[in-house]
Amino acid sequence: MDAEAVIFDLDGVLVHTDRFHYLAWKKLSDEKGIYFDEEINQRLRGVSREQSLEIILERYEGEPFSPEEKKEMAAEKNGIYREYLSGMTPGDVTEEVRETLTELKKRGLCLAVGSSSKNAGFILEKTELRDFFDAVSDGTMITKTKPDPEVFLLAAKLLNKTPEKCLIVEDADAGIEAGKRGGMRTAAYGEAAKSGKADYILRHFSDLLII
Ligand code: B16
Ligand code: MG
């Protein structure tokens, strides 16, 4: 690859916390009588907690929830999600991911995380991934969520790299769009690979070493 930096999405790329998001939203939806399924869940990839709730409520036909109730619901979902996260260990990161990150660093690339999540720091700590990265840009540092490029532009800035020198690795269409809007190259992994919008498709995480 001719990029000088790689900016990784977290949820769905480095770790599979996407399953925990689904289970936590499902629990909250069932409790409140709101319809929610795997298909709706796909639309939550990369978007903020608050926006995720708005997407889930699109099909809800009951009395509208007040802003306070929505705040409580988002907080409740986060509580359930954090319980799942607290059980995470370094074993939740595959050898393939660790070996690929190690090799990219050996080749002199700068590495960063660009995640919409406000829990990114906690996840990186639990999985002992933090030391691989020269910078972390996450949901606690931005005002606009993906598909806005803010989170990736901040990561590039923290790395001291111009956008065109950065490659974004993403599992969400919203993230691929964010990378493109930010003037970066994009590699799709997992769900985002299906839409064919990215510059590269990664069938395996380690394909990063051969593109
Ligand atoms: P939190 P990413 C995103 O992480 C998730 O894909 C998305 O489903 C979630 O709603 C968002 O983080 C916010 O997460 O509730 O933990 O702040 O894919 O950008 O790493
Ligand atoms: Mg993701």
Side-chain angles (χ1 to χ4, degrees):
M1 101 181 52
D2 55 0
E4 291 178 10
V6 188
I7 303 173
F8 293 89
D9 171 59
L10 181 61
D11 166 74
V13 170
L14 295 171
V15 286
H16 288 285
T17 42
D18 38 352
R19 190 69 204 150
F20 299 154
H21 278 296
Y22 170 75
L23 292 171
W25 283 124
K26 181 72 182 148
K27 188 157 185 238
L28 180 91
S29 307
D30 287 351
E31 213 179 275
K32 305 275 180 199
I34 304 166
Y35 181 78
F36 180 63
D37 63 15
E38 298 267 7
E39 206 181 312
I40 301 171
N41 188 57
Q42 294 304 342
R43 293 174 55 207
L44 312 184
R45 285 181 188 276
V47 305
S48 71
R49 197 180 309 161
E50 293 70 23
Q51 257 179 277
S52 297
L53 181 59
E54 292 301 333
I55 292 172
I56 292 168
L57 290 176
E58 279 172 13
R59 285 183 55 162
Y60 183 64
E61 287 172 348
E63 247 336 87
F65 293 101
S66 68
E68 291 71 36
E69 284 172 318
K70 287 185 188 173
K71 223 173 158 185
E72 275 168 30
M73 285 156 79
E76 188 183 332
K77 180 267 172 176
N78 195 48
I80 305 166
Y81 178 60
R82 295 269 304 195
E83 271 176 44
Y84 286 115
L85 295 185
S86 62
M88 287 187 89
T89 69
D92 286 300
V93 178
T94 63
E95 274 310 300
E96 184 186 7
V97 166
R98 284 186 198 277
E99 281 166 14
T100 304
L101 295 175
T102 304
E103 180 58 27
L104 290 171
K105 280 179 82 73
K106 237 191 244 169
R107 293 184 188 181
L109 283 137
C110 290
L111 307 185
V113 169
S115 167
S116 300
S117 177
K118 292 189 170 80
N119 293 300
F122 186 52
I123 297 168
L124 293 172
E125 182 195 312
K126 296 294 292 179
T127 54
E128 294 177 11
L129 271 178
R130 179 63 185 87
D131 288 350
F132 282 104
F133 301 100
D134 304 291
V136 174
S137 167
D138 69 28
T140 65
M141 304 155 90
I142 53 164
T143 55
K144 286 165 274 158
T145 191
K146 300 167 190 174
D148 190 281
E150 187 181 1
V151 75
F152 293 141
L153 290 174
L154 176 62
K157 194 172 160 201
L158 293 171
L159 292 175
N160 222 356
K161 297 286 178 193
T162 53
E164 64 274 16
K165 301 267 188 253
C166 299
L167 174 75
I168 302 299
V169 185
E170 259 290 349
D171 72 311
D173 282 342
I176 297 294
E177 194 184 326
K180 285 186 173 280
R181 280 205 220 164
M184 297 156 172
R185 266 163 293 168
T186 55
Y189 179 62
E191 276 302 310
K194 295 179 185 164
S195 60
K197 290 182 187 150
D199 300 309
Y200 304 99
I201 302 283
L202 305 176
R203 289 191 52 224
H204 305 283
F205 190 85
S206 57
D207 287 350
L208 273 171
L209 302 173
I210 54 169
I211 61 173

